[in-house]
């Protein structure tokens, strides 16, 4: 999935204009790279095309804090209202969930603080054979 397709999926999920979805996608990916280990950011980036995974480059000191701090950082980076950042972040996380393997998404979520539960849709389980 190239970045324009990634953004299209985020825009569709968030009901935001494409240009705003692109800005928020970059901001979320960059902020995620600050919140997870460098190894996790690299593992996640390896499953994404270069033009998407390139935003997961760890830059500087890892930051901490909960989901609210994350959203304020995304809002600041994207120059949007925190409510828009929340909608966009949820759409980016859902698009990542559909783009990478289940195991990789679980590894990502495992490194996020508990407050992210509201933004992360559960990973669909395969149907059971009856």
């Amino acid at each position: 999935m190239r970045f324009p397709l990634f953004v299209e999926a985020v825009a569709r999920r968030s009901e935001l204009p494409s240009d705003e979805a692109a800005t928020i996608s970059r901001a979320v990916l960059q902020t995620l790279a600050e919140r997870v280990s460098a190894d996790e950011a690299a593992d996640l980036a390896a499953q994404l095309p270069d033009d998407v995974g390139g935003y997961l480059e760890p830059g500087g000191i890892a930051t901490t804090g909960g989901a609210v701090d994350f959203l304020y950082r995304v809002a600041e980076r994207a120059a949007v209202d925190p409510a828009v950042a929340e909608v966009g972040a949820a759409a980016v996380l859902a698009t990542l969930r559909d783009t990478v393997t289940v195991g990789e998404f679980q590894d990502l979520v495992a490194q996020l603080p508990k407050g992210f539960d509201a933004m992360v849709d559960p990973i669909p389980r395969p149907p059971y054979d009856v």
Side-chain angles (χ1 to χ4, degrees), residues 20-85:
E20 196 168 28
T23 301
I24 289 174
S25 294
R26 286 188 288 272
V28 169
L29 293 169
Q30 291 168 341
T31 307
L32 277 174
E34 295 172 348
R35 296 297 171 116
V36 299
S37 70
D39 288 342
E40 180 54 35
D43 289 349
L44 185 60
Q47 291 195 20
L48 298 168
D50 291 344
D51 61 342
V52 178
Y55 294 111
L56 287 163
E57 292 293 321
I61 300 170
T63 58
T64 58
V68 172
D69 292 331
F70 179 88
L71 291 174
Y72 277 110
R73 181 73 174 137
V74 169
E76 179 182 305
R77 267 197 169 118
V80 297
D81 185 81
V84 174

Short mmCIF file of all heavy atoms in Angstrom, two decimals, residues 20-85:
data_model
loop_
_atom_site.label_atom_id
_atom_site.label_comp_id
_atom_site.label_asym_id
_atom_site.label_seq_id
_atom_site.Cartn_x
_atom_site.Cartn_y
_atom_site.Cartn_z
N GLU A 20 -5.97 16.73 4.81
CA GLU A 20 -5.93 16.68 6.28
C GLU A 20 -5.60 15.27 6.76
O GLU A 20 -4.85 15.08 7.71
CB GLU A 20 -7.25 17.16 6.85
CG GLU A 20 -7.18 17.52 8.32
CD GLU A 20 -8.42 18.26 8.79
OE1 GLU A 20 -9.52 18.08 8.22
OE2 GLU A 20 -8.28 19.03 9.75
N ALA A 21 -6.15 14.26 6.08
CA ALA A 21 -5.85 12.86 6.43
C ALA A 21 -4.37 12.56 6.22
O ALA A 21 -3.76 11.84 7.01
CB ALA A 21 -6.71 11.91 5.60
N ALA A 22 -3.77 13.13 5.18
CA ALA A 22 -2.34 12.93 4.93
C ALA A 22 -1.50 13.55 6.04
O ALA A 22 -0.56 12.93 6.56
CB ALA A 22 -1.95 13.52 3.58
N THR A 23 -1.85 14.77 6.42
CA THR A 23 -1.11 15.47 7.48
C THR A 23 -1.23 14.71 8.80
O THR A 23 -0.23 14.53 9.51
CB THR A 23 -1.65 16.91 7.63
OG1 THR A 23 -1.50 17.58 6.38
CG2 THR A 23 -0.92 17.67 8.71
N ILE A 24 -2.43 14.27 9.12
CA ILE A 24 -2.64 13.54 10.37
C ILE A 24 -1.94 12.18 10.32
O ILE A 24 -1.35 11.75 11.31
CB ILE A 24 -4.14 13.41 10.68
CG1 ILE A 24 -4.69 14.78 11.09
CG2 ILE A 24 -4.39 12.38 11.78
CD1 ILE A 24 -6.18 14.83 11.28
N SER A 25 -1.96 11.51 9.18
CA SER A 25 -1.28 10.22 9.05
C SER A 25 0.21 10.36 9.35
O SER A 25 0.77 9.58 10.12
CB SER A 25 -1.47 9.65 7.64
OG SER A 25 -2.82 9.32 7.41
N ARG A 26 0.84 11.37 8.76
CA ARG A 26 2.26 11.61 9.02
C ARG A 26 2.49 11.90 10.50
O ARG A 26 3.40 11.35 11.12
CB ARG A 26 2.78 12.77 8.17
CG ARG A 26 2.96 12.43 6.71
CD ARG A 26 3.66 13.55 5.95
NE ARG A 26 2.81 14.71 5.76
CZ ARG A 26 1.98 14.88 4.75
NH1 ARG A 26 1.90 13.97 3.81
NH2 ARG A 26 1.24 15.97 4.67
N ALA A 27 1.64 12.74 11.08
CA ALA A 27 1.80 13.11 12.49
C ALA A 27 1.63 11.90 13.41
O ALA A 27 2.40 11.72 14.37
CB ALA A 27 0.80 14.20 12.87
N VAL A 28 0.65 11.05 13.13
CA VAL A 28 0.42 9.86 13.96
C VAL A 28 1.61 8.90 13.84
O VAL A 28 2.11 8.40 14.86
CB VAL A 28 -0.90 9.15 13.58
CG1 VAL A 28 -1.00 7.78 14.25
CG2 VAL A 28 -2.09 10.01 13.96
N LEU A 29 2.07 8.64 12.63
CA LEU A 29 3.19 7.72 12.45
C LEU A 29 4.45 8.25 13.13
O LEU A 29 5.17 7.49 13.80
CB LEU A 29 3.44 7.47 10.96
CG LEU A 29 2.33 6.70 10.24
CD1 LEU A 29 2.54 6.74 8.73
CD2 LEU A 29 2.24 5.27 10.74
N GLN A 30 4.72 9.54 13.00
CA GLN A 30 5.89 10.12 13.65
C GLN A 30 5.77 10.05 15.16
O GLN A 30 6.75 9.76 15.87
CB GLN A 30 6.07 11.58 13.20
CG GLN A 30 6.49 11.70 11.75
CD GLN A 30 6.37 13.12 11.22
OE1 GLN A 30 5.67 13.97 11.77
NE2 GLN A 30 7.05 13.38 10.11
N THR A 31 4.59 10.30 15.68
CA THR A 31 4.38 10.26 17.13
C THR A 31 4.43 8.83 17.65
O THR A 31 4.96 8.58 18.73
CB THR A 31 3.06 10.97 17.50
OG1 THR A 31 3.06 12.28 16.92
CG2 THR A 31 2.89 11.10 19.00
N LEU A 32 3.91 7.88 16.87
CA LEU A 32 4.04 6.46 17.26
C LEU A 32 5.50 6.07 17.37
O LEU A 32 5.89 5.35 18.30
CB LEU A 32 3.35 5.55 16.23
CG LEU A 32 1.86 5.34 16.37
CD1 LEU A 32 1.34 4.53 15.20
CD2 LEU A 32 1.51 4.68 17.69
N ALA A 33 6.33 6.54 16.43
CA ALA A 33 7.75 6.21 16.45
C ALA A 33 8.42 6.70 17.72
O ALA A 33 9.40 6.11 18.18
CB ALA A 33 8.45 6.78 15.22
N GLU A 34 7.90 7.77 18.30
CA GLU A 34 8.43 8.29 19.56
C GLU A 34 7.93 7.51 20.77
O GLU A 34 8.50 7.61 21.85
CB GLU A 34 8.03 9.75 19.74
CG GLU A 34 8.62 10.68 18.72
CD GLU A 34 8.06 12.09 18.79
OE1 GLU A 34 7.04 12.31 19.49
OE2 GLU A 34 8.63 12.96 18.13
N ARG A 35 6.83 6.77 20.62
CA ARG A 35 6.20 6.10 21.75
C ARG A 35 6.58 4.63 21.89
O ARG A 35 6.34 4.04 22.93
CB ARG A 35 4.67 6.17 21.62
CG ARG A 35 4.13 7.57 21.69
CD ARG A 35 4.44 8.15 23.06
NE ARG A 35 4.15 9.56 23.11
CZ ARG A 35 3.24 10.10 23.87
NH1 ARG A 35 2.51 9.36 24.66
NH2 ARG A 35 3.06 11.40 23.87
N VAL A 36 7.11 4.04 20.84
CA VAL A 36 7.47 2.62 20.89
C VAL A 36 8.99 2.50 20.79
O VAL A 36 9.68 3.46 20.47
CB VAL A 36 6.77 1.81 19.76
CG1 VAL A 36 5.25 1.88 19.91
CG2 VAL A 36 7.19 2.27 18.39
N SER A 37 9.47 1.31 21.06
CA SER A 37 10.91 1.09 20.98
C SER A 37 11.38 1.26 19.53
O SER A 37 10.60 1.11 18.59
CB SER A 37 11.26 -0.31 21.48
OG SER A 37 10.79 -1.29 20.56
N ALA A 38 12.65 1.56 19.37
CA ALA A 38 13.22 1.69 18.02
C ALA A 38 13.07 0.39 17.25
O ALA A 38 12.79 0.41 16.04
CB ALA A 38 14.69 2.09 18.11
N ASP A 39 13.21 -0.75 17.94
CA ASP A 39 13.04 -2.05 17.27
C ASP A 39 11.62 -2.23 16.78
O ASP A 39 11.39 -2.73 15.67
CB ASP A 39 13.41 -3.20 18.21
CG ASP A 39 14.91 -3.30 18.45
OD1 ASP A 39 15.68 -2.72 17.66
OD2 ASP A 39 15.30 -3.96 19.44
N GLU A 40 10.63 -1.84 17.58
CA GLU A 40 9.24 -1.98 17.18
C GLU A 40 8.92 -1.06 16.01
O GLU A 40 8.22 -1.45 15.07
CB GLU A 40 8.29 -1.71 18.35
CG GLU A 40 6.82 -1.84 17.98
CD GLU A 40 6.47 -3.17 17.33
OE1 GLU A 40 7.05 -4.21 17.71
OE2 GLU A 40 5.61 -3.19 16.44
N ALA A 41 9.42 0.17 16.06
CA ALA A 41 9.20 1.10 14.94
C ALA A 41 9.80 0.53 13.66
O ALA A 41 9.18 0.59 12.59
CB ALA A 41 9.80 2.46 15.26
N ALA A 42 10.99 -0.07 13.76
CA ALA A 42 11.63 -0.67 12.58
C ALA A 42 10.85 -1.89 12.08
O ALA A 42 10.68 -2.07 10.87
CB ALA A 42 13.07 -1.07 12.91
N ASP A 43 10.36 -2.71 13.00
CA ASP A 43 9.56 -3.88 12.61
C ASP A 43 8.28 -3.46 11.90
O ASP A 43 7.88 -4.05 10.89
CB ASP A 43 9.20 -4.74 13.83
CG ASP A 43 10.40 -5.48 14.41
OD1 ASP A 43 11.46 -5.51 13.77
OD2 ASP A 43 10.26 -6.01 15.53
N LEU A 44 7.63 -2.45 12.43
CA LEU A 44 6.40 -1.95 11.82
C LEU A 44 6.69 -1.35 10.45
O LEU A 44 6.00 -1.63 9.47
CB LEU A 44 5.74 -0.92 12.74
CG LEU A 44 4.39 -0.37 12.33
CD1 LEU A 44 3.35 -1.49 12.22
CD2 LEU A 44 3.93 0.67 13.35
N ALA A 45 7.72 -0.53 10.38
CA ALA A 45 8.11 0.10 9.11
C ALA A 45 8.46 -0.93 8.05
O ALA A 45 8.18 -0.74 6.87
CB ALA A 45 9.28 1.06 9.33
N ALA A 46 9.04 -2.05 8.46
CA ALA A 46 9.44 -3.09 7.51
C ALA A 46 8.23 -3.71 6.81
O ALA A 46 8.36 -4.25 5.71
CB ALA A 46 10.24 -4.18 8.23
N GLN A 47 7.06 -3.63 7.43
CA GLN A 47 5.86 -4.20 6.82
C GLN A 47 5.07 -3.16 6.02
O GLN A 47 4.01 -3.47 5.49
CB GLN A 47 4.97 -4.82 7.90
CG GLN A 47 5.58 -6.06 8.49
CD GLN A 47 4.59 -6.88 9.27
OE1 GLN A 47 3.37 -6.75 9.11
NE2 GLN A 47 5.10 -7.73 10.12
N LEU A 48 5.60 -1.97 5.94
CA LEU A 48 4.93 -0.89 5.22
C LEU A 48 5.81 -0.44 4.05
O LEU A 48 7.04 -0.55 4.13
CB LEU A 48 4.68 0.30 6.16
CG LEU A 48 3.77 0.03 7.35
CD1 LEU A 48 3.84 1.17 8.34
CD2 LEU A 48 2.35 -0.20 6.89
N PRO A 49 5.22 0.07 2.99
CA PRO A 49 6.04 0.62 1.90
C PRO A 49 6.92 1.74 2.44
O PRO A 49 6.58 2.40 3.42
CB PRO A 49 5.01 1.16 0.91
CG PRO A 49 3.73 0.49 1.25
CD PRO A 49 3.79 0.17 2.72
N ASP A 50 8.05 1.96 1.76
CA ASP A 50 8.99 2.98 2.21
C ASP A 50 8.36 4.34 2.40
O ASP A 50 8.69 5.05 3.34
CB ASP A 50 10.16 3.10 1.24
CG ASP A 50 11.06 1.88 1.27
OD1 ASP A 50 10.97 1.09 2.23
OD2 ASP A 50 11.85 1.71 0.33
N ASP A 51 7.44 4.70 1.52
CA ASP A 51 6.86 6.04 1.64
C ASP A 51 5.87 6.16 2.79
O ASP A 51 5.48 7.24 3.17
CB ASP A 51 6.24 6.52 0.33
CG ASP A 51 5.11 5.65 -0.19
OD1 ASP A 51 4.99 4.50 0.26
OD2 ASP A 51 4.35 6.13 -1.05
N VAL A 52 5.47 5.04 3.40
CA VAL A 52 4.66 5.06 4.62
C VAL A 52 5.57 4.82 5.82
O VAL A 52 5.56 5.59 6.78
CB VAL A 52 3.53 4.00 4.58
CG1 VAL A 52 2.73 4.02 5.88
CG2 VAL A 52 2.60 4.23 3.39
N GLY A 53 6.36 3.76 5.76
CA GLY A 53 7.24 3.40 6.86
C GLY A 53 8.30 4.43 7.18
O GLY A 53 8.79 4.49 8.30
N GLY A 54 8.62 5.28 6.20
CA GLY A 54 9.63 6.30 6.42
C GLY A 54 9.26 7.28 7.52
O GLY A 54 10.13 7.89 8.14
N TYR A 55 7.99 7.42 7.80
CA TYR A 55 7.54 8.32 8.87
C TYR A 55 7.72 7.70 10.24
O TYR A 55 7.51 8.36 11.26
CB TYR A 55 6.08 8.72 8.66
CG TYR A 55 5.88 9.55 7.42
CD1 TYR A 55 5.21 9.04 6.32
CD2 TYR A 55 6.40 10.84 7.34
CE1 TYR A 55 5.04 9.80 5.17
CE2 TYR A 55 6.25 11.61 6.19
CZ TYR A 55 5.56 11.07 5.12
OH TYR A 55 5.40 11.83 3.98
N LEU A 56 8.11 6.43 10.30
CA LEU A 56 8.29 5.75 11.58
C LEU A 56 9.74 5.79 12.06
O LEU A 56 10.11 5.03 12.93
CB LEU A 56 7.81 4.30 11.47
CG LEU A 56 6.30 4.14 11.42
CD1 LEU A 56 5.91 2.77 10.90
CD2 LEU A 56 5.71 4.37 12.80
N GLU A 57 10.52 6.67 11.50
CA GLU A 57 11.91 6.81 11.92
C GLU A 57 11.97 7.39 13.32
O GLU A 57 11.44 8.48 13.55
CB GLU A 57 12.67 7.73 10.96
CG GLU A 57 12.87 7.15 9.59
CD GLU A 57 13.80 5.96 9.59
OE1 GLU A 57 14.81 5.97 10.33
OE2 GLU A 57 13.51 5.01 8.85
N PRO A 58 12.58 6.65 14.26
CA PRO A 58 12.70 7.22 15.60
C PRO A 58 13.54 8.49 15.53
O PRO A 58 14.60 8.51 14.92
CB PRO A 58 13.42 6.14 16.41
CG PRO A 58 13.32 4.89 15.59
CD PRO A 58 13.15 5.32 14.17
N GLY A 59 13.03 9.54 16.10
CA GLY A 59 13.74 10.81 16.05
C GLY A 59 13.97 11.36 17.44
O GLY A 59 13.10 11.99 17.99
N GLY A 60 15.11 11.10 17.99
CA GLY A 60 15.42 11.66 19.29
C GLY A 60 14.97 10.77 20.44
O GLY A 60 14.87 9.56 20.31
N ILE A 61 14.67 11.40 21.54
CA ILE A 61 14.33 10.70 22.78
C ILE A 61 12.89 10.23 22.74
O ILE A 61 11.99 10.98 22.36
CB ILE A 61 14.55 11.64 23.98
CG1 ILE A 61 16.02 12.08 24.03
CG2 ILE A 61 14.15 10.98 25.28
CD1 ILE A 61 16.29 13.18 25.01
N ALA A 62 12.69 8.99 23.14
CA ALA A 62 11.33 8.45 23.21
C ALA A 62 10.53 9.22 24.26
O ALA A 62 11.05 9.57 25.31
CB ALA A 62 11.37 6.97 23.55
N THR A 63 9.30 9.51 23.93
CA THR A 63 8.45 10.22 24.86
C THR A 63 7.52 9.24 25.56
O THR A 63 7.30 8.14 25.09
CB THR A 63 7.61 11.30 24.15
OG1 THR A 63 6.83 10.67 23.15
CG2 THR A 63 8.49 12.35 23.52
N THR A 64 7.01 9.68 26.67
CA THR A 64 6.08 8.85 27.43
C THR A 64 4.79 9.61 27.59
O THR A 64 4.66 10.73 27.14
CB THR A 64 6.67 8.50 28.82
OG1 THR A 64 6.94 9.72 29.51
CG2 THR A 64 7.93 7.68 28.69
N GLY A 65 3.87 9.02 28.27
CA GLY A 65 2.59 9.67 28.51
C GLY A 65 1.48 8.81 27.95
O GLY A 65 1.71 7.86 27.21
N GLY A 66 0.28 9.17 28.30
CA GLY A 66 -0.87 8.39 27.89
C GLY A 66 -1.43 8.84 26.55
O GLY A 66 -0.83 9.60 25.81
N ALA A 67 -2.63 8.35 26.30
CA ALA A 67 -3.31 8.61 25.03
C ALA A 67 -3.59 10.10 24.85
O ALA A 67 -3.49 10.62 23.73
CB ALA A 67 -4.60 7.80 24.95
N VAL A 68 -3.92 10.80 25.92
CA VAL A 68 -4.23 12.22 25.81
C VAL A 68 -2.99 13.00 25.37
O VAL A 68 -3.06 13.85 24.47
CB VAL A 68 -4.80 12.78 27.14
CG1 VAL A 68 -4.95 14.29 27.09
CG2 VAL A 68 -6.14 12.12 27.45
N ASP A 69 -1.84 12.70 25.97
CA ASP A 69 -0.59 13.35 25.57
C ASP A 69 -0.27 13.04 24.11
O ASP A 69 0.17 13.92 23.36
CB ASP A 69 0.57 12.90 26.45
CG ASP A 69 0.44 13.38 27.88
OD1 ASP A 69 -0.17 14.46 28.08
OD2 ASP A 69 0.94 12.69 28.78
N PHE A 70 -0.49 11.80 23.70
CA PHE A 70 -0.28 11.38 22.32
C PHE A 70 -1.14 12.23 21.38
O PHE A 70 -0.65 12.76 20.38
CB PHE A 70 -0.61 9.89 22.17
CG PHE A 70 -0.45 9.36 20.78
CD1 PHE A 70 0.77 8.87 20.35
CD2 PHE A 70 -1.53 9.33 19.90
CE1 PHE A 70 0.91 8.37 19.06
CE2 PHE A 70 -1.39 8.84 18.63
CZ PHE A 70 -0.17 8.35 18.19
N LEU A 71 -2.41 12.36 21.71
CA LEU A 71 -3.32 13.12 20.84
C LEU A 71 -2.95 14.60 20.78
O LEU A 71 -3.04 15.21 19.71
CB LEU A 71 -4.76 12.96 21.32
CG LEU A 71 -5.34 11.56 21.11
CD1 LEU A 71 -6.73 11.47 21.75
CD2 LEU A 71 -5.41 11.21 19.64
N TYR A 72 -2.51 15.17 21.89
CA TYR A 72 -2.10 16.56 21.86
C TYR A 72 -0.85 16.74 21.01
O TYR A 72 -0.71 17.74 20.30
CB TYR A 72 -1.89 17.12 23.28
CG TYR A 72 -3.17 17.56 23.91
CD1 TYR A 72 -3.73 16.86 24.97
CD2 TYR A 72 -3.85 18.68 23.44
CE1 TYR A 72 -4.93 17.26 25.53
CE2 TYR A 72 -5.06 19.09 24.00
CZ TYR A 72 -5.59 18.37 25.04
OH TYR A 72 -6.78 18.78 25.60
N ARG A 73 0.05 15.77 21.05
CA ARG A 73 1.25 15.83 20.21
C ARG A 73 0.87 15.74 18.73
O ARG A 73 1.39 16.47 17.90
CB ARG A 73 2.22 14.71 20.62
CG ARG A 73 3.49 14.69 19.83
CD ARG A 73 4.39 15.85 20.24
NE ARG A 73 5.65 15.71 19.55
CZ ARG A 73 6.28 16.72 18.98
NH1 ARG A 73 5.80 17.93 19.07
NH2 ARG A 73 7.40 16.52 18.35
N VAL A 74 -0.04 14.81 18.40
CA VAL A 74 -0.51 14.68 17.02
C VAL A 74 -1.19 15.97 16.58
O VAL A 74 -0.93 16.47 15.48
CB VAL A 74 -1.45 13.46 16.86
CG1 VAL A 74 -2.14 13.47 15.51
CG2 VAL A 74 -0.68 12.16 17.06
N ALA A 75 -2.06 16.51 17.43
CA ALA A 75 -2.77 17.75 17.10
C ALA A 75 -1.78 18.89 16.85
O ALA A 75 -1.95 19.67 15.90
CB ALA A 75 -3.74 18.11 18.22
N GLU A 76 -0.76 18.97 17.68
CA GLU A 76 0.25 20.02 17.52
C GLU A 76 1.01 19.83 16.20
O GLU A 76 1.18 20.79 15.45
CB GLU A 76 1.22 19.95 18.70
CG GLU A 76 2.34 20.96 18.65
CD GLU A 76 3.28 20.78 19.84
OE1 GLU A 76 2.79 20.80 20.99
OE2 GLU A 76 4.48 20.59 19.60
N ARG A 77 1.43 18.61 15.92
CA ARG A 77 2.18 18.32 14.69
C ARG A 77 1.35 18.58 13.44
O ARG A 77 1.87 19.05 12.45
CB ARG A 77 2.60 16.85 14.67
CG ARG A 77 3.92 16.58 15.22
CD ARG A 77 4.41 15.20 14.78
NE ARG A 77 5.80 15.11 15.12
CZ ARG A 77 6.31 14.24 15.96
NH1 ARG A 77 5.56 13.33 16.52
NH2 ARG A 77 7.59 14.25 16.22
N ALA A 78 0.08 18.22 13.49
CA ALA A 78 -0.79 18.34 12.33
C ALA A 78 -1.50 19.69 12.26
O ALA A 78 -2.18 19.97 11.28
CB ALA A 78 -1.81 17.22 12.33
N ALA A 79 -1.34 20.50 13.30
CA ALA A 79 -2.00 21.80 13.39
C ALA A 79 -3.52 21.66 13.25
O ALA A 79 -4.16 22.35 12.45
CB ALA A 79 -1.44 22.78 12.37
N VAL A 80 -4.07 20.71 14.03
CA VAL A 80 -5.52 20.49 14.04
C VAL A 80 -6.01 20.48 15.48
O VAL A 80 -5.24 20.39 16.42
CB VAL A 80 -5.91 19.15 13.35
CG1 VAL A 80 -5.52 19.17 11.88
CG2 VAL A 80 -5.32 17.96 14.06
N ASP A 81 -7.31 20.53 15.64
CA ASP A 81 -7.95 20.45 16.94
C ASP A 81 -7.73 19.04 17.51
O ASP A 81 -7.71 18.07 16.75
CB ASP A 81 -9.45 20.71 16.74
CG ASP A 81 -10.19 20.77 18.05
OD1 ASP A 81 -10.16 21.81 18.70
OD2 ASP A 81 -10.81 19.73 18.40
N PRO A 82 -7.59 18.90 18.84
CA PRO A 82 -7.40 17.56 19.41
C PRO A 82 -8.52 16.58 19.07
O PRO A 82 -8.26 15.38 18.90
CB PRO A 82 -7.34 17.81 20.92
CG PRO A 82 -6.78 19.20 21.03
CD PRO A 82 -7.39 19.94 19.86
N ALA A 83 -9.75 17.05 18.92
CA ALA A 83 -10.85 16.15 18.54
C ALA A 83 -10.64 15.59 17.13
O ALA A 83 -10.91 14.42 16.87
CB ALA A 83 -12.19 16.87 18.64
N VAL A 84 -10.14 16.41 16.23
CA VAL A 84 -9.83 15.96 14.86
C VAL A 84 -8.65 14.99 14.91
O VAL A 84 -8.64 13.97 14.21
CB VAL A 84 -9.53 17.16 13.93
CG1 VAL A 84 -9.06 16.70 12.56
CG2 VAL A 84 -10.76 18.05 13.82
N ALA A 85 -7.68 15.29 15.75
CA ALA A 85 -6.53 14.40 15.91
C ALA A 85 -6.97 13.03 16.40
O ALA A 85 -6.45 12.00 15.96
CB ALA A 85 -5.50 15.01 16.87
#
